[in-house]
Amino acid sequence: MAEKEKKVKAETTEENALVTENEQLKEELEKAKAQADEYKDKWMRNVAEFDNYKKRNAKLWTDANNEGKSSVILKILPVGDHLDMAVSLGLDEKSLKGIELIKRKFNETLEEMGVTEINPLGEIFNPEIAEAIMQVQAQDGEAEDTVKQVFQKGYKMGDKIIRYAKVSVAK
């Protein structure tokens, strides 16, 4: 019997050791799963942060590019103004044709760059696109706050005003 008891005791001890080892393995597995979830969460946050970084930089680059274009366009707009003045002068036919060709190419270049002209003549004055530099008396049948004359054309690129139109307004 003593041998049988030793054998049962050994089996019980062995079973207890297996149960303990099994519990330890389960604990280690749970820790590993928790750590894997933590790493996955950190990875997903980093991916999202990097995606936001790329979007932010793309927007900054686009804004800087548009700002640079606007700056250059603003500096060359007086050339277009002078071409308009030259067309209005009483020039001979060949000179007038040459200046009109240059002016047409100038306008095509602006159009290719996404620049559109603001010419509010005859419209109700809008301070978001024009600057009133003079007021004139409204004539019979004219509505007040109507743009009577455009002294300098305005330009915009997309929704951004590059140069406000300078106008006279009826009062």
PDB file of all heavy atoms in Angstrom, residues 124-143:
ATOM      1  N   ILE A 124     -23.768  96.133 -58.346  1.00  0.00           N
ATOM      2  CA  ILE A 124     -23.822  96.730 -57.015  1.00  0.00           C
ATOM      3  C   ILE A 124     -22.439  96.598 -56.383  1.00  0.00           C
ATOM      4  O   ILE A 124     -21.799  95.553 -56.480  1.00  0.00           O
ATOM      5  CB  ILE A 124     -24.883  96.029 -56.128  1.00  0.00           C
ATOM      6  CG1 ILE A 124     -26.279  96.152 -56.748  1.00  0.00           C
ATOM      7  CG2 ILE A 124     -24.877  96.565 -54.707  1.00  0.00           C
ATOM      8  CD1 ILE A 124     -26.805  97.572 -56.828  1.00  0.00           C
ATOM      9  N   PHE A 125     -21.977  97.678 -55.736  1.00  0.00           N
ATOM     10  CA  PHE A 125     -20.648  97.681 -55.124  1.00  0.00           C
ATOM     11  C   PHE A 125     -20.534  96.579 -54.085  1.00  0.00           C
ATOM     12  O   PHE A 125     -21.372  96.425 -53.211  1.00  0.00           O
ATOM     13  CB  PHE A 125     -20.375  99.043 -54.482  1.00  0.00           C
ATOM     14  CG  PHE A 125     -19.084  99.094 -53.730  1.00  0.00           C
ATOM     15  CD1 PHE A 125     -17.869  99.064 -54.401  1.00  0.00           C
ATOM     16  CD2 PHE A 125     -19.079  99.157 -52.348  1.00  0.00           C
ATOM     17  CE1 PHE A 125     -16.674  99.098 -53.699  1.00  0.00           C
ATOM     18  CE2 PHE A 125     -17.887  99.198 -51.644  1.00  0.00           C
ATOM     19  CZ  PHE A 125     -16.687  99.173 -52.328  1.00  0.00           C
ATOM     20  N   ASN A 126     -19.470  95.785 -54.190  1.00  0.00           N
ATOM     21  CA  ASN A 126     -19.184  94.701 -53.252  1.00  0.00           C
ATOM     22  C   ASN A 126     -17.783  94.933 -52.685  1.00  0.00           C
ATOM     23  O   ASN A 126     -16.794  94.768 -53.394  1.00  0.00           O
ATOM     24  CB  ASN A 126     -19.256  93.350 -53.969  1.00  0.00           C
ATOM     25  CG  ASN A 126     -18.986  92.188 -53.045  1.00  0.00           C
ATOM     26  OD1 ASN A 126     -18.648  92.363 -51.882  1.00  0.00           O
ATOM     27  ND2 ASN A 126     -19.115  90.989 -53.581  1.00  0.00           N
ATOM     28  N   PRO A 127     -17.689  95.315 -51.393  1.00  0.00           N
ATOM     29  CA  PRO A 127     -16.371  95.600 -50.821  1.00  0.00           C
ATOM     30  C   PRO A 127     -15.466  94.374 -50.704  1.00  0.00           C
ATOM     31  O   PRO A 127     -14.280  94.514 -50.421  1.00  0.00           O
ATOM     32  CB  PRO A 127     -16.704  96.163 -49.438  1.00  0.00           C
ATOM     33  CG  PRO A 127     -18.061  95.667 -49.122  1.00  0.00           C
ATOM     34  CD  PRO A 127     -18.767  95.505 -50.435  1.00  0.00           C
ATOM     35  N   GLU A 128     -15.998  93.187 -50.945  1.00  0.00           N
ATOM     36  CA  GLU A 128     -15.179  91.985 -50.890  1.00  0.00           C
ATOM     37  C   GLU A 128     -14.357  91.782 -52.162  1.00  0.00           C
ATOM     38  O   GLU A 128     -13.423  90.980 -52.179  1.00  0.00           O
ATOM     39  CB  GLU A 128     -16.050  90.755 -50.638  1.00  0.00           C
ATOM     40  CG  GLU A 128     -16.679  90.765 -49.260  1.00  0.00           C
ATOM     41  CD  GLU A 128     -17.583  89.574 -49.011  1.00  0.00           C
ATOM     42  OE1 GLU A 128     -17.665  88.688 -49.892  1.00  0.00           O
ATOM     43  OE2 GLU A 128     -18.197  89.545 -47.949  1.00  0.00           O
ATOM     44  N   ILE A 129     -14.727  92.493 -53.242  1.00  0.00           N
ATOM     45  CA  ILE A 129     -13.974  92.353 -54.491  1.00  0.00           C
ATOM     46  C   ILE A 129     -13.469  93.683 -55.035  1.00  0.00           C
ATOM     47  O   ILE A 129     -12.666  93.693 -55.966  1.00  0.00           O
ATOM     48  CB  ILE A 129     -14.818  91.645 -55.585  1.00  0.00           C
ATOM     49  CG1 ILE A 129     -16.045  92.455 -55.949  1.00  0.00           C
ATOM     50  CG2 ILE A 129     -15.158  90.241 -55.175  1.00  0.00           C
ATOM     51  CD1 ILE A 129     -16.766  91.976 -57.187  1.00  0.00           C
ATOM     52  N   ALA A 130     -13.956  94.797 -54.476  1.00  0.00           N
ATOM     53  CA  ALA A 130     -13.579  96.095 -55.019  1.00  0.00           C
ATOM     54  C   ALA A 130     -13.323  97.100 -53.902  1.00  0.00           C
ATOM     55  O   ALA A 130     -13.829  96.963 -52.790  1.00  0.00           O
ATOM     56  CB  ALA A 130     -14.678  96.610 -55.948  1.00  0.00           C
ATOM     57  N   GLU A 131     -12.549  98.116 -54.269  1.00  0.00           N
ATOM     58  CA  GLU A 131     -12.238  99.204 -53.362  1.00  0.00           C
ATOM     59  C   GLU A 131     -12.781 100.481 -53.989  1.00  0.00           C
ATOM     60  O   GLU A 131     -12.429 100.826 -55.116  1.00  0.00           O
ATOM     61  CB  GLU A 131     -10.714  99.285 -53.196  1.00  0.00           C
ATOM     62  CG  GLU A 131     -10.235 100.411 -52.362  1.00  0.00           C
ATOM     63  CD  GLU A 131      -8.711 100.483 -52.333  1.00  0.00           C
ATOM     64  OE1 GLU A 131      -8.031  99.573 -52.830  1.00  0.00           O
ATOM     65  OE2 GLU A 131      -8.204 101.483 -51.805  1.00  0.00           O
ATOM     66  N   ALA A 132     -13.663 101.179 -53.259  1.00  0.00           N
ATOM     67  CA  ALA A 132     -14.235 102.422 -53.771  1.00  0.00           C
ATOM     68  C   ALA A 132     -13.241 103.543 -53.504  1.00  0.00           C
ATOM     69  O   ALA A 132     -12.902 103.826 -52.361  1.00  0.00           O
ATOM     70  CB  ALA A 132     -15.561 102.712 -53.091  1.00  0.00           C
ATOM     71  N   ILE A 133     -12.771 104.173 -54.578  1.00  0.00           N
ATOM     72  CA  ILE A 133     -11.822 105.270 -54.402  1.00  0.00           C
ATOM     73  C   ILE A 133     -12.456 106.619 -54.724  1.00  0.00           C
ATOM     74  O   ILE A 133     -11.846 107.651 -54.515  1.00  0.00           O
ATOM     75  CB  ILE A 133     -10.547 105.057 -55.249  1.00  0.00           C
ATOM     76  CG1 ILE A 133     -10.876 104.958 -56.734  1.00  0.00           C
ATOM     77  CG2 ILE A 133      -9.799 103.827 -54.781  1.00  0.00           C
ATOM     78  CD1 ILE A 133      -9.647 104.949 -57.631  1.00  0.00           C
ATOM     79  N   MET A 134     -13.724 106.553 -55.178  1.00  0.00           N
ATOM     80  CA  MET A 134     -14.403 107.795 -55.544  1.00  0.00           C
ATOM     81  C   MET A 134     -15.910 107.570 -55.523  1.00  0.00           C
ATOM     82  O   MET A 134     -16.377 106.469 -55.800  1.00  0.00           O
ATOM     83  CB  MET A 134     -13.958 108.205 -56.957  1.00  0.00           C
ATOM     84  CG  MET A 134     -14.335 109.568 -57.375  1.00  0.00           C
ATOM     85  SD  MET A 134     -13.372 110.019 -58.840  1.00  0.00           S
ATOM     86  CE  MET A 134     -14.665 110.112 -60.032  1.00  0.00           C
ATOM     87  N   GLN A 135     -16.643 108.643 -55.180  1.00  0.00           N
ATOM     88  CA  GLN A 135     -18.104 108.589 -55.250  1.00  0.00           C
ATOM     89  C   GLN A 135     -18.557 109.634 -56.248  1.00  0.00           C
ATOM     90  O   GLN A 135     -18.011 110.735 -56.305  1.00  0.00           O
ATOM     91  CB  GLN A 135     -18.732 108.891 -53.891  1.00  0.00           C
ATOM     92  CG  GLN A 135     -18.537 107.820 -52.870  1.00  0.00           C
ATOM     93  CD  GLN A 135     -19.244 108.159 -51.564  1.00  0.00           C
ATOM     94  OE1 GLN A 135     -19.682 109.276 -51.345  1.00  0.00           O
ATOM     95  NE2 GLN A 135     -19.352 107.168 -50.699  1.00  0.00           N
ATOM     96  N   VAL A 136     -19.566 109.280 -57.038  1.00  0.00           N
ATOM     97  CA  VAL A 136     -20.152 110.218 -58.010  1.00  0.00           C
ATOM     98  C   VAL A 136     -21.658 110.236 -57.800  1.00  0.00           C
ATOM     99  O   VAL A 136     -22.237 109.302 -57.244  1.00  0.00           O
ATOM    100  CB  VAL A 136     -19.805 109.818 -59.466  1.00  0.00           C
ATOM    101  CG1 VAL A 136     -18.318 109.952 -59.720  1.00  0.00           C
ATOM    102  CG2 VAL A 136     -20.266 108.424 -59.785  1.00  0.00           C
ATOM    103  N   GLN A 137     -22.267 111.319 -58.240  1.00  0.00           N
ATOM    104  CA  GLN A 137     -23.715 111.447 -58.109  1.00  0.00           C
ATOM    105  C   GLN A 137     -24.414 110.438 -59.029  1.00  0.00           C
ATOM    106  O   GLN A 137     -24.028 110.281 -60.183  1.00  0.00           O
ATOM    107  CB  GLN A 137     -24.164 112.860 -58.493  1.00  0.00           C
ATOM    108  CG  GLN A 137     -23.871 113.908 -57.457  1.00  0.00           C
ATOM    109  CD  GLN A 137     -24.576 113.633 -56.147  1.00  0.00           C
ATOM    110  OE1 GLN A 137     -23.939 113.201 -55.212  1.00  0.00           O
ATOM    111  NE2 GLN A 137     -25.859 113.846 -56.079  1.00  0.00           N
ATOM    112  N   ALA A 138     -25.432 109.807 -58.493  1.00  0.00           N
ATOM    113  CA  ALA A 138     -26.231 108.871 -59.295  1.00  0.00           C
ATOM    114  C   ALA A 138     -27.090 109.676 -60.251  1.00  0.00           C
ATOM    115  O   ALA A 138     -27.657 110.704 -59.884  1.00  0.00           O
ATOM    116  CB  ALA A 138     -27.088 108.010 -58.387  1.00  0.00           C
ATOM    117  N   GLN A 139     -27.178 109.250 -61.486  1.00  0.00           N
ATOM    118  CA  GLN A 139     -28.022 109.921 -62.477  1.00  0.00           C
ATOM    119  C   GLN A 139     -29.423 109.339 -62.414  1.00  0.00           C
ATOM    120  O   GLN A 139     -29.666 108.330 -61.755  1.00  0.00           O
ATOM    121  CB  GLN A 139     -27.409 109.753 -63.866  1.00  0.00           C
ATOM    122  CG  GLN A 139     -26.066 110.449 -63.983  1.00  0.00           C
ATOM    123  CD  GLN A 139     -25.451 110.265 -65.353  1.00  0.00           C
ATOM    124  OE1 GLN A 139     -25.981 109.567 -66.203  1.00  0.00           O
ATOM    125  NE2 GLN A 139     -24.311 110.902 -65.569  1.00  0.00           N
ATOM    126  N   ASP A 140     -30.357 109.956 -63.111  1.00  0.00           N
ATOM    127  CA  ASP A 140     -31.749 109.491 -63.100  1.00  0.00           C
ATOM    128  C   ASP A 140     -31.830 108.036 -63.510  1.00  0.00           C
ATOM    129  O   ASP A 140     -31.242 107.623 -64.502  1.00  0.00           O
ATOM    130  CB  ASP A 140     -32.602 110.331 -64.064  1.00  0.00           C
ATOM    131  CG  ASP A 140     -32.761 111.759 -63.582  1.00  0.00           C
ATOM    132  OD1 ASP A 140     -32.607 111.970 -62.363  1.00  0.00           O
ATOM    133  OD2 ASP A 140     -33.034 112.656 -64.404  1.00  0.00           O
ATOM    134  N   GLY A 141     -32.551 107.248 -62.729  1.00  0.00           N
ATOM    135  CA  GLY A 141     -32.769 105.838 -63.031  1.00  0.00           C
ATOM    136  C   GLY A 141     -31.650 104.922 -62.571  1.00  0.00           C
ATOM    137  O   GLY A 141     -31.757 103.705 -62.719  1.00  0.00           O
ATOM    138  N   GLU A 142     -30.583 105.467 -62.028  1.00  0.00           N
ATOM    139  CA  GLU A 142     -29.482 104.633 -61.556  1.00  0.00           C
ATOM    140  C   GLU A 142     -29.664 104.308 -60.075  1.00  0.00           C
ATOM    141  O   GLU A 142     -30.064 105.159 -59.287  1.00  0.00           O
ATOM    142  CB  GLU A 142     -28.135 105.353 -61.713  1.00  0.00           C
ATOM    143  CG  GLU A 142     -27.594 105.311 -63.097  1.00  0.00           C
ATOM    144  CD  GLU A 142     -26.201 105.939 -63.170  1.00  0.00           C
ATOM    145  OE1 GLU A 142     -25.870 106.785 -62.340  1.00  0.00           O
ATOM    146  OE2 GLU A 142     -25.476 105.549 -64.085  1.00  0.00           O
ATOM    147  N   ALA A 143     -29.369 103.105 -59.739  1.00  0.00           N
ATOM    148  CA  ALA A 143     -29.454 102.689 -58.333  1.00  0.00           C
ATOM    149  C   ALA A 143     -28.212 103.165 -57.596  1.00  0.00           C
ATOM    150  O   ALA A 143     -27.123 103.242 -58.170  1.00  0.00           O
ATOM    151  CB  ALA A 143     -29.560 101.174 -58.246  1.00  0.00           C
TER     152      ALA A 143
END
